Amino acid sequence: MLGLVKGLVGATFLSAGDYGLWGLIGVTTALVLWLGSVGVDDKYIQQDHPDQERAFQVAFTLQCGLAALLALAVLVAMPLFALVYDAPGMVAPGLAMALSLPAVALQAPLWIFWRRMDFRRQRSLQIWDPVVSLLAVVALALAGLGVWALVIGTVMGSYAAAVAAVRASPYRLGWRYDGAALREYVSFSWPLFVASASGVLVAVVPLFAASRSAGIAAVGAITLATTIGQFAHRVDEVLTQALYPAICAVKDQTDLLFAAFSKSNRLALLWALPAGAAAYLFAGDFVEHVLGEKWRFAVTLIQIVAVTAAVNQIGFNWTAFYRALGRTWPIAVANVVLLAGVCAISVPLLVSHGIDGYGWGLAAATGLFLVARLYFLTRLFPLSQVVGPLARSAVPTVVGAGTVLALRAAEGGRGAAEVAGEGALFVAVVAATTVLSERDLLREMVGYLRGAPVPAPTV
């Protein structure tokens, strides 16, 4: 949530061109970070070494080496991408982003609490990053620092979380090399590297095409739409991260794996589908009353990307189950399918039909990605059991959206008050319908949070 607010603050106080510049810096930095997302933390969670302090120090050593390589990669990549994008203004702030990478390694103690499923402690430490970052961005943006407000705020947030994590670490931070462990990490991680590289290209290639064919403002529009669309992923990301240690613990019990998958994905869809529908229904109003008319040209793209992101939540946490099983190659295959779809469909439509064409192409590519995901899920669970229960999660969104559309049809005009009333009505109807249609699931989740005994899962 705070990350979304930070992005919207930037979109509000920066021009479309400056925000597009931040999009180029962000995607270049994300490119390097994604390439470095090779599952060191995932493998650390999965391992069962008898000496956990030693296991952590081995993982921390690998993460420090990786952070050093990533910092060097940013220093090299930023000037090169500035040439590719023809955006020399991104070089200085982009190089400054490399300062945040040592903080990535210093946040490794958070993995310890993650593995122990001490999520309260983990989140209380992680929250330093978005809070400090948001406060810094708001203050610096109001001071007129432009794109530097986002850069400095991001770096400050990273180090705030790093300091908190180091101070709270139950284990001593130290470097320890283990050749056998390194081989295990490499075997586990190389498909994740392929998947990360594919994800990088999925983001970078459209931005390159947009900067060349439609200009820097189009890059800003894609960045803004992506920022809003990612809001639909938030609950699934939190749930998947929270469940991953438990999934690793029961990876040999198919019934428990399916129960974890089904219930967590249903909960995620109860958030993602209304979030996507809300973005579709109110994107135009949000631009008019909050972001400003400078973003009017991006409304359709925001709507398409938000709905696509919501639908993409079907089975979105499947990678956690394959990672827990130590079978990471299907993750690479699925991401390559998405990359092929983006290059073959999204980019040509972007060049020929602008940012709206990109949105429709992304929706088609995501459809291919979803097919690949469901195929691999059927290697674990029957397809009917995967898809059937998830259909119920769409009911609250359908009822809420239908209510708002019916009200609009009866309205004579729509001002800010009417928009606020429609938003409140949508939230109320979705919430009430969710409670009625999924009360058993919600009651069970509340029981988990309270520590109450719950019945054994069934398939």
Side-chain angles (χ1 to χ4, degrees):
M1 174 67 80
L2 294 178
L4 174 64
V5 173
K6 183 178 76 172
L8 295 179
V9 167
T12 301
F13 290 100
L14 274 64
S15 67
D18 281 346
Y19 198 72
L21 193 65
W22 167 248
L24 294 177
I25 295 170
V27 78
T28 304
T29 305
L31 180 154
V32 176
L33 291 176
W34 281 339
L35 287 176
S37 300
V38 294
V40 174
D41 52 348
D42 293 333
K43 182 60 180 175
Y44 169 72
I45 301 300
Q46 190 205 41
Q47 54 79 34
D48 295 309
H49 197 281
D51 185 345
Q52 281 301 303
E53 183 171 23
R54 178 186 178 90
F56 169 74
Q57 290 172 347
V58 169
F60 176 68
T61 301
L62 293 174
Q63 188 72 358
C64 287
L66 185 61
L69 291 175
L70 294 179
L72 179 61
V74 169
L75 296 177
V76 173
M78 205 62 66
L80 293 178
F81 275 87
L83 289 174
V84 171
Y85 291 130
D86 193 21
M90 67 181 285
V91 175
L95 293 177
M97 287 291 289
L99 296 174
S100 66
L101 293 172
V104 174
L106 293 174
Q107 292 178 30
L110 295 173
W111 304 345
I112 302 169
F113 302 105
W114 181 20
R115 190 175 189 277
R116 294 176 176 179
M117 292 186 282
D118 186 355
F119 304 121
R120 183 188 299 273
R121 186 62 169 150
Q122 180 193 14
R123 294 296 179 185
S124 68
L125 297 171
Q126 285 180 320
I127 196 66
W128 282 96
D129 185 344
V131 168
V132 171
S133 180
L134 175 61
L135 293 176
V137 167
V138 171
L140 296 173
L142 288 174
L145 267 68
V147 71
W148 280 99
L150 288 162
V151 172
I152 296 172
T154 299
V155 173
M156 290 177 63
S158 297
Y159 276 97
V163 171
V166 170
R167 292 185 62 184
S169 178
Y171 302 144
R172 294 171 297 171
L173 271 65
W175 292 346
R176 186 184 295 272
Y177 177 77
D178 186 326
L182 177 60
R183 288 189 291 273
E184 289 184 12
Y185 274 88
V186 170
S187 176
F188 182 89
S189 297
W190 74 261
L192 297 181
F193 176 81
V194 174
S196 296
S198 300
V200 165
L201 293 174
V202 164
V204 169
V205 172
L207 289 185
F208 171 73
S211 67
R212 290 293 183 176
S213 65
I216 195 70
V219 175
I222 294 175
T223 303
L224 176 62
T226 302
T227 300
I228 294 175
Q230 287 176 343
F231 192 57
H233 298 304
R234 295 310 185 202
V235 168
D236 204 324
E237 290 173 348
V238 172
L239 285 172
T240 301
Q241 185 184 48
L243 278 173
Y244 182 65
I247 294 169
C248 291
V250 299
K251 55 180 175 286
D252 296 324
Q253 303 178 55
T254 304
D255 56 342
L256 294 179
L257 285 179
F258 177 74
F261 165 78
S262 178
K263 293 174 182 179
S264 62
N265 203 214
R266 283 165 59 193
L267 282 170
L269 285 171
L270 289 175
W271 168 267
L273 295 180
Y280 179 83
L281 292 170
F282 298 103
D285 302 309
F286 188 67
V287 166
E288 178 180 354
H289 298 291
V290 179
L291 297 182
E293 289 299 314
K294 62 186 177 183
W295 293 108
R296 174 62 59 183
F297 73 103
V299 169
T300 299
L301 176 63
I302 292 171
Q303 292 174 318
I304 297 172
V305 171
V307 173
T308 299
V311 174
N312 192 35
Q313 290 299 290
I314 297 175
F316 189 77
N317 59 352
W318 72 286
T319 60
F321 296 85
Y322 271 96
R323 282 181 281 137
L325 295 169
R327 295 156 56 188
T328 51
W329 66 267
I331 302 172
V333 173
N335 277 43
V336 169
V337 169
L338 175 61
L339 173 61
V342 167
C343 292
I345 305 173
S346 303
V347 172
L349 287 176
L350 169 63
V351 174
S352 62
H353 292 79
I355 58 174
D356 292 349
Y358 163 75
W360 291 114
L362 179 63
T366 303
L368 296 175
F369 185 38
L370 184 58
V371 170
R373 178 189 305 160
L374 292 175
Y375 170 78
F376 287 116
L377 272 172
T378 59
R379 305 302 95 186
L380 300 178
F381 315 118
L383 180 60
S384 60
Q385 294 180 347
V386 170
V387 178
L390 301 182
R392 293 175 54 188
S393 301
V395 173
T397 301
V398 172
V399 175
T403 302
V404 170
L405 292 174
L407 179 62
R408 287 184 181 179
E411 287 178 343
R414 297 177 69 248
E418 287 77 14
V419 171
E422 290 177 2
L425 178 64
F426 177 79
V427 171
V429 171
V430 168
T433 310
T434 299
V435 171
L436 291 174
S437 64
E438 295 284 6
R439 56 183 175 274
D440 292 338
L441 177 63
L442 296 176
R443 186 182 299 116
E444 183 176 344
M445 293 304 106
V446 171
Y448 288 137
L449 293 175
R450 291 177 176 175
V454 293
T458 58
V459 178

